[in-house]
Amino acid sequence: MEELSISINNIWVLVATFLVMFMQPGFAMVEAGFTRSKNTANILTKNLMDFAIGSILFWVVGYSIMYGDSLWGFIGIPDLFFNDNGIGDYANKTDLMFQTVFAATAATIVSGAVAERTKFNSYLIFTVVITVFIYPISGHWKWGGGWLDQLGFLDFAGSTLVHSVGAWVGLAGAIVLGPRAGKYENGKVKAIPGHNLTFAALGVFILWFGWFGFNPGSQLGAAGNDNTLAIAHIVLTTNLAAAGGAVSALFISWWRYKRPALSLALNGALAGLVAITAGCDIVSPGGALIIGLLAGIILVFSVEFIDQKLKIDDPVGAVSVHGVNGAFGTLAVGLFATEGGLFYGGGSSLLISQLIGVAAIFVWAFGLGMILFKTIKATIGLRVSRRIEEEGLDIYEHGESAYN
């Protein structure tokens, strides 16, 4: 019976791994759809390399930095070329694969924020740094038993530890890069629409589907009644939050801009998914729906504020979806958690822990992102020339086009 339980757990975590890996083409389709056709091959190549390079480097060293024996609660002791045949509740190599697809997600989020004007070779350098340094170290603080875990910080599947990390680094990249040519002219904001909302919609549906591996898979087990009930609950809360985010973003955009905007509704669904990721195991179904509805509202106003007030050019809304709503969802755990949440009589201690965690991750990811992008800019250069940007990165950077 013990071996059967291990086998069931192992299969479940692997199935979840495959679902999360399938989110990679979802991200690619969303980013390609929300940007212009002349840069599609570049975007697809970046997403492919995020996963390919990330898979190799996370196996080489990233996994051990995240989950190795803790050094001062800050970093795992590196151990190169993971090849551990041990078995706990499931195989250790299964855990490596599950964590690898999470690392790839964090790296890919940045791609959207810096789309359409970044040198490809510079982007590859970033992929290496986030996979072997930025993401695994901050991940160790909670999931590796580090100082945030000891503080009582909760982030079940990574609203902050995965999504916000990628988004805050992406924010730094967007700031250092500057806006795309023609985005802000004479003090006015010019919309640069994407070329294919069909791709974007398909990508969001793929991501929504993949999130049923991302969140329920983080239960890291399927055998027994406790795991069965937990997985069912997490699937329900995940779906309700996504639906709430899509609905509220649509109606808020309809009210604010006099049109029900598909692009904002799509990002609203993603905002709901990001927001519920931290507390999907510990909030009620009603709480999940409220979190999703609020995430969709936050998404609309955040996109407008970042684009029009801060004048930071984020072509796909990655910072609003993954950064702002990742932070919101993590803080919402301190309010809506049925055990320890402020709204359930748990006091403010959990909310304070969540605040500390959100702030620490922001300082870490955004700070290192600024250092990284400014260093790349001062050395090999970060941005393509204006001519390449205007004519498209596909031909100049890759010698091929997505459309012929």
Side-chain angles (χ1 to χ4, degrees):
M1 290 300 295
E2 182 181 357
E3 289 189 0
L4 179 60
S5 294
I6 291 171
S7 295
I8 291 171
N9 291 337
N10 200 66
I11 290 170
W12 166 244
V13 176
L14 284 174
V15 168
T17 299
F18 306 149
L19 286 170
V20 179
M21 189 270 177
F22 191 50
M23 291 172 71
Q24 205 69 26
F27 280 117
M29 290 295 97
V30 168
E31 187 182 343
F34 280 149
T35 52
R36 292 167 289 184
S37 59
K38 62 186 179 180
N39 300 311
T40 301
N42 173 259
I43 285 163
L44 298 178
T45 308
K46 288 192 299 180
N47 278 267
L48 174 64
M49 288 299 102
D50 282 337
F51 189 77
I53 294 174
S55 293
I56 295 170
L57 294 178
F58 202 69
W59 165 70
V60 171
V61 70
Y63 180 80
S64 63
I65 290 175
M66 193 162 176
Y67 291 100
D69 293 336
S70 189
L71 191 63
W72 309 306
F74 179 78
I75 185 174
I77 298 174
D79 183 18
L80 300 180
F81 308 111
F82 184 88
N83 191 28
D84 185 349
N85 288 316
I87 296 177
D89 292 333
Y90 51 92
N92 291 347
K93 286 179 179 175
T94 295
D95 191 63
L96 166 67
M97 285 304 305
F98 186 68
Q99 304 304 335
T100 294
V101 293
F102 273 58
T105 297
T108 265
I109 290 167
V110 184
S111 177
V114 300
E116 300 201 287
R117 69 258 203 217
T118 307
K119 287 183 176 181
F120 184 67
N121 60 340
S122 301
Y123 183 83
L124 293 182
I125 293 173
F126 151 75
T127 296
V128 171
V129 175
I130 194 171
T131 304
V132 303
F133 190 74
I134 298 175
Y135 170 75
I137 289 179
S138 56
H140 178 82
W141 296 351
K142 167 59 184 176
W143 292 337
W147 70 273
L148 277 180
D149 187 51
Q150 297 164 23
L151 185 69
F153 174 75
L154 299 179
D155 189 357
F156 183 73
S159 287
T160 286
L161 295 173
V162 178
H163 294 277
S164 285
V165 166
W168 299 144
V169 176
L171 175 62
I175 291 171
V176 175
L177 271 167
R180 289 168 291 175
K183 175 65 179 177
Y184 303 107
E185 293 183 338
N186 301 319
K188 295 182 179 180
V189 180
K190 178 184 177 183
I192 303 178
H195 84 284
N196 197 322
L197 279 177
T198 303
F199 278 4
L202 175 61
V204 168
F205 278 116
I206 290 173
L207 288 169
W208 195 329
F209 178 70
W211 234 285
F212 293 129
F214 203 96
N215 286 359
S218 294
Q219 180 66 18
L220 300 178
N225 289 341
D226 289 345
N227 282 328
T228 299
L229 292 172
I231 290 170
H233 179 80
I234 293 166
V235 168
L236 176 59
T237 56
T238 298
N239 194 57
L240 286 172
V247 169
S248 64
L250 179 80
F251 280 97
I252 290 296
S253 71
W254 200 344
W255 163 73
R256 190 157 180 81
Y257 309 120
K258 312 306 178 187
R259 295 289 188 275
L262 172 61
S263 58
L264 287 171
L266 292 171
N267 266 342
L270 296 182
L273 287 163
V274 170
I276 198 59
T277 294
C280 54
D281 65 322
I282 202 171
V283 303
S284 70
L289 179 57
I290 292 171
I291 289 170
L293 290 168
L294 291 173
I297 295 169
I298 291 169
L299 179 278
V300 175
F301 288 101
S302 176
V303 166
E304 181 180 311
F305 180 75
I306 290 171
D307 187 51
Q308 298 184 15
K309 301 299 182 182
L310 298 182
K311 289 186 168 50
I312 296 172
D313 187 12
D314 177 6
V316 305
V319 176
S320 296
V321 170
H322 301 277
V324 174
N325 274 293
F328 161 68
T330 307
L331 295 175
V333 174
L335 301 173
F336 290 94
T338 55
E339 296 180 11
L342 183 64
F343 294 163
Y344 289 81
S348 60
S349 60
L350 177 57
L351 181 59
I352 292 171
S353 295
Q354 299 302 97
L355 278 165
I356 293 171
V358 167
I361 296 298
F362 173 79
V363 171
W364 170 258
F366 180 74
L368 288 182
M370 291 295 288
I371 294 170
L372 172 63
F373 283 110
K374 285 187 175 182
T375 301
I376 294 173
K377 182 178 180 179
T379 52
I380 66 170
L382 187 60
R383 185 168 182 151
V384 298
S385 69
R386 188 177 181 93
R387 178 183 177 183
I388 293 175
E389 184 179 347
E390 290 176 345
E391 296 187 19
L393 278 68
D394 286 3
I395 295 298
Y396 284 92
E397 288 273 277
H398 305 279
E400 54 190 351
S401 176
Y403 304 100
N404 293 305

